[in-house]
Amino acid sequence: MFELFQFIARSRNFILFILLEVLSFYFIINTNNYWSVEFFNTSNYYAAKFLEWSNKAKEYARLREVNAALAEENRRLNRQLVQFQQSNPKGQTSYKTDSIFASRFQFTVARVINNTTQHPDNYMTLDKGRADGIRPGMGVISPTGVVGKVKLCSEHFSVVTSILHSEFMISARLTRANEIGTARWDGVDPRRMKMLYISRNTKVARGDSVVTSEYNSTFPPGILVGRVLRVSESPDQTFHDIRLLLATNFSNVSFVYVVENKLQEEQDQLEKQIEPIKK
Amino acid sequence: MTIREIINTIFLFLLYLTLQILIFRNLVLFDLAFCFVYVACILLLPAELSMTLTLLLAFGVGVVVDMFYNTLGMHAAASVLLAYLRPYLIRFQAAQRGFESRIVLSIHEMGLRSFFYYILVLTFVHHFVLLFIEANSLMLLLPTLVKVFFSTLFTTLSIILIQYFTKN
């Protein structure tokens, strides 16, 4: 008996070593054991707190990728939303929209790599071009609102006429009054815009939102253009003088969606046919 | 063991575990080279520390790292083996260099050459065991060996670089 104790005392480290290894391998083989499920994993409160804290720093370094991912997600959701809205037009329950018409809008995410707001005619450059399916004439929107229209395309870049352009007009609708007019930039403040051709007997209030109307083939209907900032009328005018606060902040636009209307060409061709008749 | 050494050791544990969990856990080069820099906690413990305590400390460190990797047992097993083999290598190296009363395990006392061998051999054993436990079969023999090779190099270089930055 005494020799046994002596043996244990002599090789206690070896025995401890074997014990710890057996314990470790017990944990490895029994992956569902109580200890590893309950305590020793990253859902452990202290471990999780620690990781959360370290993740904050990492997240900050990854903001760029996070933004890209969010923009991509928004693109997908936008497409679904527009498709859904278009297949269920409001107030006309008996009318069923053609599914091709409903899903005519396609979105592509692009990054703004160059942008001006100070000039009277402003353009921005996107990092995608013909290779990504972008064609002149497509609409461009940002997560917050309307941005512009594609003007030129090279293989990998495209230039967009932003709505801060003297000749750019959007068919816009006042949502509350349901009245259609034209929105246009007057070339002064890159955060303000004018809304034209709203007759004086329409009720317009400050803060009413203005969205793109159904009467254009470039943008999906219902994209926010801006909100009414000020309404004034001069006695010698037939229309309201409406100032809008733009929905898109052009000084920090970074990701945009290029909107492709797959039926635009067909619509334009059809509408073109009546022009010789009109003459 | 003096108070100063105890404080140094605690600082060592905190430093390497924090580095491992916060930084090197996310750092894998080319899906090949992992860095388990926390082995330095065990490797750099004072040489005269009792074996029992070393084994227990190694087990503790292994479990803490396992907790963050969600692999309870794997790092612990490899670390305990590392702690068990460590004195043999220290004795072997001491015998080679002739008798010295007290061995201090640091790059400044041992010189780069023997420190490098000390770290390299034990790191190799640790990574070999760890990565094969993780692979859980000999089917992936060659890829695992490649991983072991590059991970050992990566870890050894990291430990030596960190040694240069933490003189005391």
Side-chain angles (χ1 to χ4, degrees), chain B residues 8 14 29 43 48 53 59 64 70-71 87 104 108 123-124 136:
Chain B
N8 266 351
L14 287 179
L29 298 183
L43 292 178
E48 68 268 22
L53 192 56
F59 187 73
V64 169
N70 283 323
T71 56
V104 179
H108 308 286
T123 309
F124 176 77
N136 201 12

Side-chain angles (χ1 to χ4, degrees), chain A residues 122-157:
Chain A
N122 293 295
Y123 298 95
M124 54 174 71
T125 314
L126 307 182
D127 67 348
K128 285 192 178 165
R130 266 199 302 275
D132 299 287
I134 293 174
R135 304 275 175 277
M138 290 183 183
V140 179
I141 61 179
S142 78
T144 45
V146 174
V147 170
K149 194 172 181 175
V150 179
K151 186 180 166 69
L152 301 165
C153 283
S154 72
E155 203 54 37
H156 297 290
F157 296 98

Side-chain angles (χ1 to χ4, degrees), chain A residues 13-14 21 36 41-42 51 54, chain B residues 22 25 51-52 70 77 84:
Chain A
N13 287 328
F14 182 71
E21 287 289 357
S36 68
N41 60 52
T42 39
L51 287 179
S54 88
Chain B
L22 287 186
R25 197 165 52 88
M51 181 75 155
T52 317
N70 283 323
Y84 189 72

Side-chain angles (χ1 to χ4, degrees), chain B residues 61-112:
Chain B
V61 169
V63 167
V64 169
V65 174
D66 272 327
M67 196 154 97
F68 285 92
Y69 278 83
N70 283 323
T71 56
L72 185 58
M74 292 185 191
H75 288 268
S79 304
V80 170
L81 179 69
L82 181 73
Y84 189 72
L85 293 180
R86 192 179 80 118
Y88 294 103
L89 191 71
I90 293 174
R91 246 174 274 160
F92 175 72
Q93 281 199 322
Q96 262 195 336
R97 288 185 302 159
F99 182 73
E100 272 179 34
S101 58
R102 193 160 182 273
I103 302 159
V104 179
L105 295 168
S106 83
I107 201 162
H108 308 286
E109 302 286 329
M110 294 170 72
L112 179 61

Side-chain angles (χ1 to χ4, degrees), chain A residues 99-116:
Chain A
S99 66
I100 296 177
F101 181 76
S103 60
R104 67 192 187 278
F105 289 109
Q106 282 271 330
F107 295 84
T108 312
V109 177
R111 219 174 83 219
V112 178
I113 53 174
N114 187 25
N115 182 18
T116 62

